Amino acid sequence: MKKLYYSIGEVAAGLQESVSLVRYWTNYFSRLLSPKRSERGNRFYTEEEVQILRELHYLIKEQGMTLDGAQDQILNNRKQLTHKLKVIETLKSIKRELQEVRKSL
């Protein structure tokens, strides 16, 4: 069962990045992200926002795009990008399984 909201710490851990980077991206990409805030000001992200952060992470960290370029890509080609990331995640999962099989041989 999926959670309704994820804390900034959970999001950062999932991306293997620092909380400060997630906070920076949240502020920079305010057109794409608007997490809910608790009374204390803590940010909480929906599953959709976590997916957007995964896409940003892929474009910026793995593809070497600029922040503005990544934002444009998400705004203009989101459906294609989401599909591509799902395929990549599936392939990574298959690779991990094959590595486990190889170790057991």
Side-chain angles (χ1 to χ4, degrees):
M1 184 169 163
K2 292 184 180 181
K3 295 171 65 172
L4 291 177
Y5 295 100
Y6 298 85
S7 72
I8 193 168
E10 291 172 317
V11 174
L15 295 173
Q16 297 180 341
E17 294 292 345
S18 68
V19 170
S20 62
L21 178 67
V22 175
R23 190 179 301 115
Y24 175 77
W25 282 358
T26 300
N27 293 334
Y28 191 90
F29 299 110
S30 60
R31 290 178 61 192
L32 301 171
L33 303 166
S34 56
K36 292 204 179 282
R37 289 186 179 255
S38 69
E39 290 178 7
R40 296 177 52 197
N42 297 334
R43 293 172 173 93
F44 290 95
Y45 299 84
T46 63
E47 182 66 36
E48 176 72 15
E49 290 168 325
V50 172
Q51 181 60 35
I52 290 170
L53 284 163
R54 282 188 199 112
E55 293 166 5
L56 288 167
H57 187 268
Y58 170 75
L59 292 171
I60 296 165
K61 296 291 187 165
E62 294 183 33
Q63 296 297 308
M65 293 184 81
T66 64
L67 298 180
D68 290 333
Q71 180 170 266
D72 289 343
Q73 184 76 13
I74 288 176
L75 289 172
N76 298 321
N77 298 316
R78 178 100 197 280
K79 192 172 185 178
Q80 232 177 359
L81 179 61
T82 301
H83 177 72
K84 184 176 182 177
L85 283 177
K86 285 181 183 179
V87 170
I88 290 170
E89 285 303 313
T90 301
L91 290 173
K92 284 180 180 179
S93 175
I94 292 169
K95 181 179 178 180
R96 283 190 298 270
E97 288 178 29
L98 288 172
Q99 288 171 336
E100 289 299 316
V101 168
R102 186 178 192 186
K103 284 180 186 176
S104 68
L105 295 177

